Amino acid sequence: MQILQDKKIVLGISGGIAAYKTPELVRRLKEQGADVRVVMTEGAKAFITPLTLQAVSGNQVADSLLDTQAELAMGHIELAKWADIIIIAPATADIVARIACGMANDLLSTLCLATTAPIAITPAMNQQMWHAQATQDNIAKLTERGCLIWGPGSGEQACGDIGLGRMLEVNDIVTLSSDFFADKYLTHQHWVITAGPTREAIDPVRYISNHSSGKMGYAIAHAALRAGAKVTLITGPVAISAPTGCELIHVSSAEEMHQQALKFAPHCSTFVACAAVADYRVAKIATQKIKKSSEAMQLELVRNHDIVADVASLKHKPFMVGFAAETQNVEHYARGKLMRKNLDLIAANDVAKSGQGFNSDNNALTLFSAIDKTEIPLASKQIVANHLVSLINQHFLAKQDS
Ligand code: PMT
C-alpha cells in the first residue's frame, strides 16, 4: 500500500508565482492515494484559478471564511478537524507572518489556528524577503511550535534574483509528505553512513578516485531518515543533493573520511560503510603540478587506513554494516570481508553487471550475515535502500535480543 493512501491533505495555496506548480502537486499527491482539499488565499487566485484546482483535486476549492454555501458543505472547523496534515505551498512571507502571529483573517490562517493537525510550510519568496530578520524570526517561532519547514530551495527566482527562496520542487514535496507518514521504526537510533568516492591527491590538480556517484549511500541515508533515525552522512565529493534532515559531513580523501568516521561512530547505533574508499594514497603529494618529463612515470602508493575495520575495532562498536563491490566470486570475497573486518553484515553488489552498481540508478544486493544471506532484487537504489534499512534493523534488533 502507498504511504499516502487515504491520507487527508489540506493544501493551502498562498499568492506567489510558484502557485502555478500546485495543480501538478495535487495530481502527484492524489496518484499516491491522498485525498486533497485545496484552500486558496485571495492572492493565490491572482496566479491560478480555483476551477483548475477543483478539476485536479476532484473536490470543491475553499477560499472564503464568509461563504455561507461553502460553510454548509464543509465548514472551516470541520475542515481543520478533517486534515491529517496541512501543507502550505507556496507559503509567502505574508502567510508565514500571519500564521506566526496567530491571525485568523482569512480561511487559510483560520484553519491553521483551528487545527490540531501538523502544518508543513514550504516557503516561496524573494531571497531578500527570506533572509529578512522578520521572516527568519517568524520561521524560528513556527519551528519552535512544531511546524515543519520544507525548504526553501536555492536557485534562480522569478524576479531574476539568485538565492534561497524558491519553493521546493513538486517531487520533493511529495517525497517529504510520504516521509512524514512513513513508519518511524528507527526512532531513537543514530546511523552514521559513509557514501561516495574518495579523492587521493597526486599533485595540486590531479587525483586518484573511482566511479562512485554517492547514489547508493544517499538513498540509504534517505531511507534511514524517513524511518525516523538521526543520520550523519559522511560523504566524499559527489554531484547529487543530500536528503533533507541529515547531518552532512563533507570530506575528500580517505584519511579525512577516516578521521570523521572515528569522530562520529562512537556515538551511533549503526554504522553503514557504503563509500568507495581508495585503498591506497600517493606516498608523497607533489606540491607543484607534475610536469611531463619522460615517457613513463611511477607513483609510489601507500595503504590507507581501513575505515570500517577501524570503527569495528572500537571498544563500544556500533552495529556494523559494510559493503563489498566485487567483479567476480562475489559471495566468497564478501564473506571474507565480513569476517576480516569484523562486521555484523555485509551488502555485496556485483559491479561487473551492467545496469547496476557504480553510478547506476539501480542496484541489486545480497546481504550476508555470518549465518545467512538475503537477496535484494534489482530495483531503483531508493527501493533497494528501503529494503536494506529494514533488514539491517531486523538484524540489529535480533542481536540486541540475543
Ligand atoms: O556510489 P554509487 O555510484 O551509488 O555506487 C554504489 C557502490 C557500488 C559504491 C556501493 O554499492 C558499494 O559497493 N560501496 C562499497 C565500495 C567499496 O569500496 O567496496 P570494497 O569491497 O572495496 O570495500 C569493502 C568495505 O570496506 C566497504 O564497506 C568500504 O566502504 C570499506 N572500506 C574500504 C577501504 C577502506 N580503506 N576503508 C573502508 O572502510
Side-chain angles (χ1 to χ4, degrees):
M1 194 172 79
Q2 303 177 99
I3 294 172
L4 291 182
Q5 190 64 46
D6 298 329
K7 291 290 178 282
K8 300 187 199 93
I9 298 179
V10 167
L11 176 64
I13 307 176
S14 64
I17 178 66
Y20 82 91
K21 296 181 181 173
T22 53
E24 179 61 14
L25 176 57
V26 173
R27 283 189 54 237
R28 297 292 316 283
L29 291 168
K30 280 178 62 84
E31 267 168 28
Q32 301 291 316
D35 187 359
V36 183
R37 287 180 179 268
V38 175
V39 173
M40 298 177 79
T41 64
E42 275 309 301
K45 290 191 280 181
F47 292 92
I48 183 112
T49 70
L51 192 59
T52 309
L53 275 315
Q54 181 169 306
V56 288
S57 69
N59 285 316
Q60 196 180 351
V61 170
D63 58 1
S64 169
L65 247 187
L66 309 170
D67 179 335
T68 46
Q69 284 309 311
E71 283 293 302
L72 272 180
M74 189 187 262
H76 64 278
I77 298 294
E78 216 178 320
L79 195 54
K81 284 184 181 157
W82 174 86
D84 290 323
I85 188 169
I86 296 179
I87 301 173
I88 305 182
T92 58
D94 175 70
I95 190 75
V96 167
R98 287 192 288 122
I99 301 172
C101 288
M103 290 181 73
N105 58 344
D106 67 359
L107 180 59
L108 184 54
S109 54
T110 304
L111 279 181
C112 290
L113 210 53
T115 194
T116 53
I119 300 171
I121 292 186
T122 61
M125 63 194 77
N126 165 269
Q127 53 89 21
Q128 195 55 53
M129 291 169 79
W130 170 253
H131 288 297
Q133 196 56 54
T135 304
Q136 289 305 306
D137 289 349
N138 289 333
I139 291 287
K141 205 186 274 183
L142 291 171
T143 307
E144 204 173 296
R145 276 186 218 148
C147 286
L148 305 159
I149 310 295
W150 292 348
S154 184
E156 196 173 346
Q157 304 200 296
C159 55
D161 280 10
I162 294 176
L164 265 182
R166 281 171 62 95
M167 187 174 86
L168 291 184
E169 295 304 327
V170 165
N171 276 349
D172 296 329
I173 300 173
V174 175
T175 303
L176 286 164
S177 309
S178 53
D179 287 357
F180 176 77
F181 288 107
D183 180 6
K184 301 288 184 287
Y185 60 90
L186 294 183
T187 307
H188 306 310
Q189 289 196 31
H190 178 189
W191 285 39
V192 173
I193 299 163
T194 68
T198 61
R199 286 181 182 171
E200 308 306 319
I202 298 172
D203 67 12
V205 297
R206 303 181 180 95
Y207 55 80
I208 299 170
S209 191
N210 58 65
H211 295 293
S212 171
S213 61
K215 289 176 193 169
M216 190 69 242
Y218 279 45
I220 296 168
H222 184 200
L225 275 168
R226 74 188 260 149
K230 173 183 174 193
V231 173
T232 304
L233 179 59
I234 305 175
T235 177
V238 296
I240 55 174
S241 320
T244 312
C246 64
E247 180 180 28
L248 195 59
I249 311 293
H250 289 282
V251 297
S252 182
S253 66
E255 286 308 285
E256 286 168 19
M257 189 174 274
H258 183 254
Q259 251 178 34
Q260 295 299 328
L262 288 181
K263 176 174 164 193
F264 287 98
H267 313 290
C268 75
S269 50
T270 302
F271 186 90
V272 183
C274 186
V277 184
D279 288 319
Y280 293 91
R281 67 179 182 280
V282 176
K284 215 163 164 214
I285 302 168
T287 52
Q288 301 299 331
K289 183 181 171 192
I290 299 172
K291 292 297 189 191
K292 272 192 298 251
S293 56
S294 55
E295 280 308 304
M297 72 172 289
Q298 287 188 332
L299 284 176
E300 191 192 341
L301 302 179
V302 291
R303 277 286 280 273
N304 276 327
H305 287 108
D306 190 313
I307 299 170
V308 76
D310 284 359
V311 172
S313 65
L314 290 172
K315 190 163 170 228
H316 298 292
K317 73 163 181 164
F319 190 76
M320 293 299 305
V321 185
F323 265 71
E326 308 297 346
T327 55
Q328 57 178 335
N329 300 329
V330 176
E331 176 155 359
H332 174 71
Y333 286 132
R335 285 202 178 279
K337 287 175 183 172
L338 177 74
M339 294 304 152
R340 230 178 18 257
K341 297 182 187 233
N342 194 18
L343 308 176
D344 295 292
L345 297 169
I346 195 155
N349 35 197
D350 186 338
V351 291
K353 287 191 178 156
S354 68
Q356 64 182 68
F358 283 96
N359 202 15
S360 170
D361 287 337
N362 300 320
N363 210 4
L365 296 171
T366 311
L367 186 66
F368 296 98
S369 72
I371 50 169
D372 63 11
K373 70 173 182 181
T374 313
E375 301 290 345
I376 304 180
L378 184 67
S380 75
K381 282 184 173 165
Q382 193 56 65
I383 290 179
V384 168
N386 295 346
H387 195 164
L388 176 66
V389 165
S390 153
L391 285 171
I392 292 172
N393 187 49
Q394 286 168 26
H395 283 271
F396 170 82
L397 295 176
K399 187 175 179 185
Q400 288 206 320
D401 282 350
S402 66

